[in-house]
Amino acid sequence: MLRILLVDDEPLVLIGLQGMLEWEKLGYTVCGTARNGKLALELIEREKPDIVIADVKMPVMDGLTLAHTCRERSALPAFIMLTSFEEFDYIKQAMGAGVVDYLVKLDLTPENLKNALARAAEKVKKERALLGEVPVQENLAESVRSYRERFFVRLYAGLFPDERSLEQPLQHMDLGLASDTYLVASCEIIANTELTPAQQLKLSFSCGRMLETTLQNYLPCYVAGADALRGNVLFCLTAQQAQSYRAVLRPLLERASQILYNYFTVRLLWAVGRPTGSLLGLARCCRENAHLQPLLTVEQPIQFVEVNEGDATAGKMQVVAQVQEYIKNHLSEKLTLADVAAVFNFSPNYLSQLFGKYGDSGFVEYITETRIAAAKEMLEQGDLKVYEIAEKLGYESSFYFSKVFKKVTGLSPREYQQGI
C-alpha cells in the first residue's frame, strides 16, 4: 500500500480528510498527520510516505516551502496541495516544485481527491522505476507493451512506407505475425454508467486484456487500444479461415462480448473489416471500419464491411474518417492543414478538397467543432481550470480559447460551466 501523510494546521480539515475516503480499500494507508511544515518534514524523514497532502498556507513552514525542501532532497514523496481560490500564484510556483496536483478546499470531494491520488500514485510508480525500486521484469514488460501499442498505432494509420520498414520492429517485439491473411475488427466499449477519464482508461485496459486472453483461445490475435474506449483486434487467419471469415468470427465475437458483459457490464460494438494478405493493407481495413462504426447499434452490435473496390466515393469518405480520427487523437497538437496533410502524404489542397466534398464540414471548421466539443466535456466534468483545458486542446492561450469558445457557443467557458 502507498503511505499517505496529511498536513494542515486546521484539525477539522485533518479529521475531514481522514474520513473522506476508505483509504485501505483504495490501496492507501494514512501513516501520520502534522499541523505545520516543520513537523511534517520530521515525519517525512521518519515515516517515508509516498504521497503528502498538504495545505499551502501553514504556520512555521508552509506547504510550498515543505515541497521545495523535499524536492531538493529527493524526487519523492509526491505532493498534492490544498489551497483556496485566492492562492493561485502560490500554485504556479508549487507546480514547479514537482507538485502533482492541487485541490481547492471549497471544491474538495471524494471523487477529485481520488483522481488526484491516482495521478500522484502514477508519479510514485515512475519515480520508483527510475530509482530502480520496481523489478526489472515489470519495467521490461511495461516497455514492451508500450512499444507494441505504438507499433500498432503506426501500422493502422498507414505510417509504414513498405514491408521492409516493418522488419526491424517485428524482430524487436517477436510478435509472430507471419500469416496467410490478416483482418482487423474495430471495437467500441459502451459502458452502462458515466465514467471519469481515469475510469475510462482503466476499463479500456481491463477489457483489452480480457479480450485478448479470451480470443487467443480460438485464434492468434493482438489487441491494441485506439482511444479511451475503442480498440482494434488483429486476427491472423489461415487461407481456409479467410474464405469463411464471417462464419468464423461472428460466434467468437459474440462469445467475447458476452464474457465482457458478465465481468464489466459493458456492451461491445464490432466493425469487422475485410481480409487482407498484407500487414500494410490493415490501414485500409481500419479506414473502412471507421466508416462503418457510426452505423453500429446495441441491437446490431456486429457488422461486416461491405465495400466494392471500385467505389471511389466510399474510399474517399473513409479517408476523411481516418483523418478525422487522427484529429480527435491529437487535439493537443498543432493541427494545420499542411501538417496533417503531411502525415497522410497528401497535398494540403487535396486534403482540403476531400473535407469540403466528403466531410460534414471543412477542415478548419471540423477541428474547431471537435475541440469545442471536447472542451464542453472537460468543463462539465469540472476537474480542470480553463487555462488547463486550453493547453490540452492546443490553444496558444486561455484568452484565445475563450474567444473561440464564445464565438461557437455564445457563452464564455465560465458562463457555460455555471449553467450546467
Side-chain angles (χ1 to χ4, degrees):
M1 286 194 178
L2 294 180
R3 296 164 63 78
I4 312 294
L5 176 65
L6 306 178
V7 190
D8 198 294
D9 60 323
E10 298 179 37
L12 289 178
V13 174
L14 291 175
I15 293 170
L17 285 171
Q18 291 179 80
M20 185 169 285
L21 301 176
E22 295 182 82
W23 297 91
E24 303 288 332
K25 285 186 179 180
L26 294 170
Y28 308 107
T29 181
V30 177
C31 65
T33 63
R35 298 281 298 278
N36 61 59
K38 185 178 179 182
L39 293 174
L41 194 58
E42 295 172 2
L43 277 174
I44 289 169
E45 292 175 352
R46 187 170 72 244
E47 297 293 336
K48 307 296 183 188
D50 301 291
I51 300 169
V52 176
I53 303 175
D55 191 8
V56 170
K57 286 191 175 180
M58 294 182 295
V60 186
M61 179 188 289
D62 63 32
L64 184 55
T65 303
L66 175 64
H68 275 292
T69 303
C70 290
R71 188 68 176 176
E72 289 171 359
R73 299 179 181 183
S74 172
L76 292 176
F79 274 80
I80 298 170
M81 286 296 185
L82 301 178
T83 183
S84 60
F85 287 111
E86 59 269 17
E87 292 165 357
F88 188 72
D89 287 339
Y90 276 84
I91 293 308
K92 288 193 289 188
Q93 299 175 49
M95 300 306 277
V99 174
V100 175
D101 209 343
Y102 69 91
L103 302 172
V104 178
K105 285 185 179 181
L106 291 178
D107 292 341
L108 189 59
T109 65
E111 192 60 39
N112 58 33
L113 179 56
K114 281 192 286 187
N115 291 339
L117 284 165
R119 287 188 283 272
E122 186 63 27
K123 175 180 172 59
V124 171
K125 180 180 177 182
K126 290 178 179 178
E127 293 295 347
R128 283 181 173 174
L130 290 172
L131 294 170
E133 295 178 11
V134 176
V136 173
Q137 193 62 37
E138 182 179 330
N139 283 342
L140 181 60
E142 186 64 33
S143 297
V144 170
R145 279 195 297 271
S146 177
Y147 187 64
R148 193 178 86 170
E149 289 281 337
R150 291 197 299 274
F151 167 78
F152 280 117
V153 167
R154 295 181 65 204
L155 181 65
Y156 295 145
L159 299 181
F160 288 101
D162 50 42
E163 295 281 355
R164 192 172 181 179
S165 62
L166 292 169
E167 293 176 1
Q168 186 176 22
L170 288 175
Q171 287 175 356
H172 288 166
M173 290 181 293
D174 192 27
L175 277 175
L177 288 180
S179 181
D180 296 330
T181 308
Y182 307 97
L183 181 148
V184 170
S186 300
C187 172
E188 181 177 358
I189 301 169
I190 307 297
N192 67 335
T193 57
E194 288 199 16
L195 304 172
T196 65
Q199 290 171 331
Q200 289 179 5
L201 290 174
K202 184 175 181 180
L203 177 64
S204 180
F205 178 77
S206 300
C207 288
R209 294 291 291 272
M210 182 166 286
L211 262 182
E212 192 166 83
T213 301
T214 301
L215 293 170
Q216 282 182 346
N217 290 326
Y218 305 95
L219 286 174
C221 70
Y222 300 92
V223 177
D227 56 31
L229 290 176
R230 293 191 184 195
N232 293 304
V233 183
L234 169 61
F235 290 98
C236 299
L237 306 177
T238 64
Q240 184 177 358
Q241 289 168 333
Q243 290 177 359
S244 55
Y245 69 94
R246 291 176 178 84
V248 170
L249 289 177
R250 184 177 288 277
L252 298 189
L253 298 181
E254 288 174 345
R255 177 165 176 75
S257 296
Q258 186 61 51
I259 289 172
L260 264 72
Y261 180 78
N262 293 342
Y263 271 87
F264 302 112
T265 323
V266 296
R267 301 287 184 185
L268 302 184
L269 305 182
W270 294 96
V272 186
R274 295 177 295 155
T276 175
S278 164
L279 285 172
L280 295 180
L282 294 172
R284 182 263 301 164
C285 294
C286 287
R287 291 195 297 271
E288 293 177 352
N289 290 357
H291 185 55
L292 178 61
Q293 280 180 309
L295 306 178
L296 300 173
T297 64
V298 173
E299 292 72 28
Q300 290 187 306
I302 303 174
Q303 294 193 41
F304 292 82
V305 170
E306 301 279 359
V307 179
N308 295 323
E309 289 288 358
D311 190 348
T313 298
K316 289 175 181 177
M317 290 178 69
Q318 289 155 13
V319 170
V320 171
Q322 187 186 16
V323 176
Q324 289 174 336
E325 190 67 20
Y326 175 85
I327 290 169
K328 288 178 183 177
N329 294 331
H330 296 79
L331 289 178
S332 64
E333 300 175 13
K334 184 180 179 183
L335 292 171
T336 66
L337 179 64
D339 289 336
V340 177
V343 171
F344 292 88
N345 293 318
F346 297 146
S347 72
N349 187 48
Y350 178 68
L351 181 58
S352 179
Q353 289 176 356
L354 280 181
F355 261 80
K357 190 171 183 179
Y358 300 103
D360 296 327
S361 57
F363 178 83
V364 174
E365 290 79 7
Y366 179 79
I367 291 175
T368 300
E369 291 166 3
T370 306
R371 280 178 165 153
I372 296 304
K376 287 180 178 179
E377 289 184 13
M378 294 180 190
L379 287 167
E380 288 165 10
Q381 290 163 4
D383 295 331
L384 299 172
K385 303 299 180 185
V386 172
Y387 81 93
E388 293 175 320
I389 293 174
E391 289 177 359
K392 283 183 174 291
L393 295 177
Y395 286 96
E396 295 177 357
S397 68
S398 58
F399 173 78
Y400 181 64
F401 162 65
S402 298
K403 184 177 178 181
V404 174
F405 189 93
K406 187 164 187 175
K407 183 179 180 181
V408 174
T409 66
L411 299 169
S412 71
R414 295 194 184 281
E415 289 170 340
Y416 180 84
Q417 201 168 40
Q418 289 167 0
I420 296 172

